[in-house]
Amino acid sequence: AVNDHYAINKDFSTLQINADVDFLNNSLEQSFSADIRIQKGETILISLKKFGITGAKVLITPDRVSYYESLTGTHYDGNFLFLSDFLGTDLNYNKVENLLIGTSIFDLAEEELTTKIEDGVYKLYKEDDKLSLIFVLDGLARMKQEVINQKGSTDKLVIDYLTYQTENQIVLPKDLLIRAMQKHDTNLKVQYKKVNVNPNISFPYNIPNGSKAIK
């Protein structure tokens, strides 16, 4: 199942995804449209728009996480600690890219996993001193669910891949639900409306003048 999961065709150089995003936490409920651009292994740029106006941008590279919000006039420019705190688990560039394209955010080939087959799906388990991990693969070895539980904490990250689509022989998620269960839960419901494989795309990102840095 693990080998089949990694054999699913993800052979692209660039992706452009138009998505709808519903964001919900204890104090805010918002819906956006998102332009997600990926240059494999190098850059992710997410532009969030409301009523056609760009309200925020997020830039992720292997050594940097940066974002700015136009409405609040604030920005962050630093390391992955911000994203890791937001989702409640340690993240790096590859994990974020894999999350977006439906590949396991942990290297399943390197993990010592217990495997069970239940109801036509593969369930893979692992526990160590820090984490309790569950991965669920469907009969086609596509990721259905990832559960990352922090030991000694109530923090849990659950990623559900509800449906998939194939574009230019590239298998990608269509509907996904990201739930960061912490002191205050954060839910992100994402629907990929249109996927363009290997387009020529740019990654325009400039923090606006006068924007205030947040720590």
Side-chain angles (χ1 to χ4, degrees), residues 106 111-112 126-133 149 151:
F106 285 84
E111 303 286 346
E112 292 183 14
K126 180 188 177 176
E127 294 212 15
D128 61 22
D129 294 341
K130 294 182 179 177
L131 296 172
S132 170
L133 305 174
N149 210 335
K151 287 279 187 72

Side-chain angles (χ1 to χ4, degrees), residues 143-160:
M143 187 62 70
K144 279 180 66 71
Q145 187 182 66
E146 297 184 83
V147 181
I148 298 126
N149 210 335
Q150 306 286 331
K151 287 279 187 72
S153 163
T154 56
D155 287 2
K156 182 191 288 189
L157 176 63
V158 180
I159 306 156
D160 289 296

